[in-house]
Amino acid sequence: IAEAVMDHLAAASGADPHALRAANLYKDDEETHFGQTLSRGTWNVPRAWAELEQSAELATRRAAIEAFNKEHKWRKRGLAMIPTKFGINFTAKFMNQGGALVHLYTDGTALVTHGGTEMGQGLNTKVQQIVAHALDIPLDAVHIAETASD
């Protein structure tokens, strides 16, 4: 919904939607709505945003898309960079914790269950690597159990 609002505001004001999104990224030392201060030197999103614009050759691609769209009445292309916001910590420090259960077997393997949610960010791989390193066993000897709520 928020991105639809951003698109509407850009259209209504004649602004470039990408520029509007970039202008509304948090800045160093600003505070989020849940009280987290984005400290100077640790808040890297504006830098990452600029690097992604360059490495993805965003300006070049947008020009090619604009040319394509002018030549095709019915087929259109588009491109957007969309920032997302997902709070991953709590202001109450005791809530910033997680757990994992590691089963060790006599054949040298380990089975791990954890409280995280794998949603494409590679969490299971990271947990597997940590366990393999901590136990000094091969990566393929560590197995991650599927997360379930039953």
Side-chain angles (χ1 to χ4, degrees), residues 9-116:
L9 290 171
S13 66
D16 173 40
H18 179 76
L20 185 64
R21 286 181 176 95
N24 281 281
L25 292 173
Y26 282 114
K27 313 282 187 288
D28 278 334
D29 300 321
E30 286 187 337
E31 189 174 287
T32 67
H33 70 284
F34 49 84
Q36 178 186 14
T37 300
L38 303 170
S39 303
R40 184 173 306 280
T42 61
W43 176 240
N44 298 310
V45 170
R47 179 189 52 78
W49 182 269
E51 286 179 13
L52 184 58
E53 284 177 322
Q54 286 192 345
S55 67
E57 300 175 349
L58 192 69
T60 303
R61 290 176 181 213
R62 289 179 80 187
I65 288 167
E66 194 173 309
F68 178 89
N69 289 345
K70 282 182 181 175
E71 299 218 1
H72 296 85
K73 183 176 182 176
W74 303 110
R75 283 181 50 203
K76 301 294 180 184
R77 294 181 177 165
L79 177 67
M81 280 177 46
I82 306 294
T84 60
K85 178 179 176 179
F86 180 77
I88 56 171
N89 77 352
F90 298 96
T91 53
K93 296 294 181 196
F94 75 91
M95 295 179 76
N96 290 326
Q97 59 186 330
L101 176 62
V102 181
H103 299 272
L104 302 175
Y105 296 100
T106 56
D107 65 356
T109 61
L111 175 65
V112 183
T113 58
H114 61 81

